[in-house]
Amino acid sequence: PKQTIKGHGEFSLRLPRLLTGSCLPSPEPCFALPKEHQAKQNERKEQQERRRREAISAATCLTEALVDHLNVGVAQAYVNQRKLDHEVKTLQVQASQFSKQTSQWISMVEGFNQALKEIGDVENWARSIEMDMRTIATALEYVHKGQLQSASS
């Protein structure tokens, strides 16, 4: 069929057979098609929305699980760091005590060494005195023998 629109002349409008109703016994099924299409589209949108919510929920669960896993590691690192800090402080105190004790030992050893030197000096002094005494004793004996011999002559 030809249609006329004012100012545009005649034109021919061909509708698909499906919309003209020539392939169907009555026009009601033709009007049902857009409703069915709309219903299916709404169902797909609802399904897509449901899947989107499920995906968001799954992503949230995954994120929470990852954060929890990381938090466990961070918490363990924090505990380890506190233990290390405590051990460092303990080690510093012990090192300081050991240093003081070592200094005391060094002082004692130096004092002992000095005492040994003094004993060695006293021993040498005693030997020197002993030698001097022997020399004097020998000289006195020699003088005494010389006097005895001059008296007997």
Side-chain angles (χ1 to χ4, degrees):
K2 291 193 178 188
Q3 299 277 337
T4 333
I5 296 180
K6 286 184 182 176
H8 292 290
E10 269 188 39
F11 64 94
S12 167
L13 179 65
R14 290 190 178 184
L15 297 175
R17 289 177 59 194
L18 183 63
L19 295 178
T20 60
S22 62
C23 65
L24 301 173
S26 70
E28 286 96 28
C30 288
F31 294 118
L33 282 176
K35 288 180 183 178
E36 284 178 28
H37 174 72
Q38 187 67 32
K40 285 182 182 179
Q41 205 169 19
N42 286 341
E43 185 180 325
R44 275 190 233 119
K45 282 182 182 179
E46 287 174 13
Q47 187 178 19
Q48 189 175 18
E49 182 63 25
R50 188 175 50 249
R51 286 179 181 167
R52 186 184 71 78
R53 285 191 304 264
E54 288 173 359
I56 289 172
S57 175
T60 301
C61 288
L62 175 63
T63 303
E64 288 174 358
L66 288 173
V67 167
D68 289 345
H69 179 71
L70 288 174
N71 283 342
V72 167
V74 168
Q76 186 62 44
Y78 178 74
V79 168
N80 290 344
Q81 183 64 40
R82 288 191 59 190
K83 285 179 183 177
L84 284 174
D85 289 344
H86 177 71
E87 290 295 321
V88 164
K89 287 177 184 176
T90 302
L91 185 60
Q92 286 174 337
V93 167
Q94 289 175 348
S96 176
Q97 289 173 346
F98 180 70
S99 178
K100 288 177 185 176
Q101 189 175 21
T102 303
S103 295
Q104 289 173 346
W105 288 347
I106 289 172
S107 294
M108 287 174 56
V109 167
E110 286 176 350
F112 181 69
N113 201 14
Q114 186 62 33
L116 284 178
K117 285 180 183 178
E118 289 173 4
I119 289 173
D121 289 345
V122 169
E123 188 179 339
N124 284 336
W125 176 77
R127 279 192 206 137
S128 176
I129 297 267
E130 186 181 1
M131 287 272 241
D132 290 345
M133 294 300 276
R134 285 188 187 178
T135 304
I136 292 171
T138 305
L140 285 175
E141 280 181 33
Y142 181 72
V143 169
H144 186 279
K145 283 184 187 176
Q147 286 178 352
L148 286 177
Q149 285 179 352
S150 359
S152 35
S153 6

